[in-house]
Amino acid sequence: MSGGMFRDGRGRSYLVPFMLVASLFFLWGVAHSILDVLNKHFQDVLVISKARSGLVQAMVYGGYFLMAVPAGRIIRRWGYRAGIVTGLMLYGIGALMFIPGGRLMSFPFFLLCLFVIGCGLTCLETSANPYMTVLGERKSAARRLNLAQSLNGLGWVVGPLVGGLLILGDDSDISLPYAVIGSVVIVLGVVFSRLRLPSPEEEEEDCRQERQRTAKRPVWKVRSFRWGVPALLLYVAAQTGINSFFINYVMEASPGITARTAALMLSFGGMGLFMVGRLLGSVVMRTVRPAVMMTVCSSGAVICMAVVILCSGAAGIAALCLTYLFESVMFPTIFSMALSGIHGEQTKTASSYLVMSIVGGAVAPVLMGIIGESSMAVGFVLPLVCFVCVWGYSFTYKMMNNHENINNHRNI
């Protein structure tokens, strides 16, 4: 039997487990995107600087750095389901901690809540991202992950919308959205603890020999993976920095726009294009190779960032929103490209390192806050540099693969 997008080489279907786990992508999309509203909210309510408000993202993404390796050990020992359940429980506990946090209104306590959420999201991503890549034939891994990430894009739309309405209002209650999210996530954790998720073969029968040959090879010897880790780190740094100061940039570029209006622009303009881009990406990659797609998109993102820095008003805001379309496919595509030369149990190890690279999101907001304290447009030099590096990885990916194929041939 032939494989397919949701079938392995033996014809076994993984559509149902794909749908179940893909639903989780929405949840961490909401968790990440609502941070961008919190960033501006804490600046205004707690009267803190842009650089200090960047700690909101730093605590969540710092959790990725500290929890990624333990999360990888959890899924290697107990499987993908254990990683997912652990992630949901930590995510839910961190969200519910916002209830007492709303009474205390202590910035350090909020940072603690966000750190716990970050640890939970790490377990979810370490489990769900590689699981998506093995639920069907390997050549469809990038398309499958992009499709699942489309639900993540929907979460990125909902987060700023809910946050803008509930958190940035005159009678805002910061604990309400997190109380709802936390309750839902805890229930899902209980549900997933009782589900049986299959552990599919990661390759078709005719790839077994290659998998056995490369299974003992250290993941850092794989060139496309070794350079994929910093590429993913820089992409996440760019994405997080842009999200963190979208509202600040829009309000500076067009002073008549309020924080709530800017949040809605982030939701429907930026995140809306982000979701559309991921849906289009899963379709376009039927005929276009992932590396080609990445080269084109990273080129577009570089151009948009240049316009954001050099222009203001409507032109700068339009370019900032358009950046979301170009960056939409980058995370899942870089993730699958980096794993393309990894096989067997090494996939779980490699995945934990890739998820650890999300720590780039902890650094970028703080640096952008410092650089852009007087003018936010200047701060966008940082994501510009990051996108240039991502372009370099995409452009040289084919050469990396050719290098790996030559080495594998010599080892036969």
Side-chain angles (χ1 to χ4, degrees):
M1 289 186 179
S2 61
M5 189 169 178
F6 303 110
R7 290 183 180 275
D8 62 12
R10 298 179 180 179
R12 290 175 295 190
S13 174
Y14 297 108
L15 180 59
V16 173
F18 171 85
M19 293 172 63
L20 289 172
V21 179
S23 66
L24 301 177
F25 284 66
F26 171 81
L27 291 175
W28 77 67
V30 172
H32 282 298
S33 60
I34 203 170
L35 295 178
D36 311 319
V37 177
L38 279 180
N39 190 298
K40 178 61 178 173
H41 177 72
F42 287 145
Q43 289 176 33
D44 297 337
V45 174
L46 301 179
V47 194
I48 58 176
S49 66
K50 293 177 184 176
R52 195 176 182 209
S53 72
L55 292 174
V56 168
Q57 276 82 4
M59 292 305 292
V60 173
Y61 289 100
Y64 277 84
F65 182 76
L66 295 175
M67 192 67 186
V69 171
R73 290 175 179 171
I74 289 172
I75 63 174
R76 283 197 302 273
R77 181 165 184 177
W78 291 291
Y80 290 110
R81 184 181 67 172
I84 289 171
V85 172
T86 302
L88 287 170
M89 289 303 178
L90 286 173
Y91 180 1
I93 291 169
L96 293 176
M97 286 172 64
F98 265 78
I99 297 175
R103 294 179 178 273
L104 295 173
M105 289 304 291
S106 166
F107 188 57
F109 186 81
F110 283 129
L111 294 181
L112 174 63
C113 300
L114 293 170
F115 177 75
V116 175
I117 290 175
C119 290
L121 297 178
T122 306
C123 291
L124 283 178
E125 295 212 42
T126 306
S127 305
N129 281 306
Y131 194 58
M132 290 292 103
T133 67
V134 301
L135 292 178
E137 60 182 0
R138 197 169 186 87
K139 67 180 181 180
S140 300
R143 282 180 58 208
R144 199 161 44 247
L145 190 51
N146 262 290
L147 184 58
Q149 290 278 359
S150 298
L151 286 175
N152 180 258
L154 179 60
W156 282 91
V157 173
V158 172
L161 177 61
V162 173
L165 294 175
L166 297 181
I167 296 177
L168 295 180
D170 295 331
D171 299 320
S172 62
D173 181 2
I174 194 172
S175 64
L176 178 58
Y178 278 97
V180 174
I181 292 171
S183 301
V184 171
V185 168
I186 291 291
V187 171
L188 281 175
V190 174
V191 171
F192 268 88
S193 70
R194 300 183 178 277
L195 289 178
R196 182 180 179 276
L197 296 178
S199 297
E201 294 292 331
E202 297 189 23
E203 288 157 280
E204 297 181 18
E205 192 68 29
D206 58 357
C207 294
R208 287 183 182 276
Q209 185 177 356
E210 180 185 359
R211 184 180 65 196
Q212 291 172 357
R213 184 174 64 250
T214 59
K216 295 182 180 180
R217 187 182 182 192
V219 293
W220 294 109
K221 294 289 186 180
V222 180
R223 196 174 180 184
S224 56
F225 170 78
R226 187 169 68 246
W227 290 107
V229 171
L232 194 63
L233 183 149
L234 291 171
Y235 161 70
V236 175
Q239 181 198 36
T240 309
I242 292 169
N243 293 344
S244 300
F245 296 106
F246 181 99
I247 295 174
N248 288 95
Y249 177 86
V250 169
M251 292 178 69
E252 289 183 16
S254 184
I257 296 178
T258 65
R260 176 176 279 191
T261 301
L264 292 176
M265 291 174 66
L266 173 60
S267 178
F268 291 108
M271 298 306 179
L273 287 173
F274 189 82
M275 183 179 70
V276 169
R278 284 194 165 166
L279 288 170
L280 288 176
S282 63
V283 174
V284 172
M285 275 193 281
R286 291 179 180 176
T287 54
V288 177
R289 295 193 305 274
V292 175
M293 169 83 76
M294 279 295 303
T295 303
V296 172
C297 289
S298 55
S299 299
V302 168
I303 294 171
C304 285
M305 282 296 97
V307 174
V308 167
I309 295 166
L310 298 175
C311 301
S312 61
I317 294 172
L320 184 58
C321 290
L322 190 59
T323 304
Y324 285 82
L325 180 66
F326 289 117
E327 72 176 17
S328 60
V329 301
M330 291 186 184
F331 182 89
T333 308
I334 295 173
F335 200 98
S336 59
M337 287 164 62
L339 289 179
S340 62
I342 309 295
H343 306 277
E345 285 296 307
Q346 296 285 56
T347 301
K348 297 174 181 177
T349 301
S351 174
S352 65
Y353 288 124
L354 285 169
V355 172
M356 183 184 288
S357 72
I358 295 175
V359 73
V363 180
V366 177
L367 291 178
M368 282 187 68
I370 295 172
I371 298 170
E373 192 66 55
S374 58
S375 174
M376 200 62 251
V378 178
F380 281 82
V381 169
L382 183 61
L384 171 64
V385 173
C386 292
F387 284 134
V388 170
C389 295
V390 170
W391 178 88
Y393 175 72
S394 307
F395 187 74
T396 59
Y397 177 75
K398 184 176 181 180
M399 289 183 284
M400 293 181 194
N401 268 5
N402 289 340
H403 180 268
E404 294 302 328
N405 290 335
I406 291 172
N407 286 343
N408 287 341
H409 182 71
R410 287 174 179 172
N411 292 332
I412 295 176

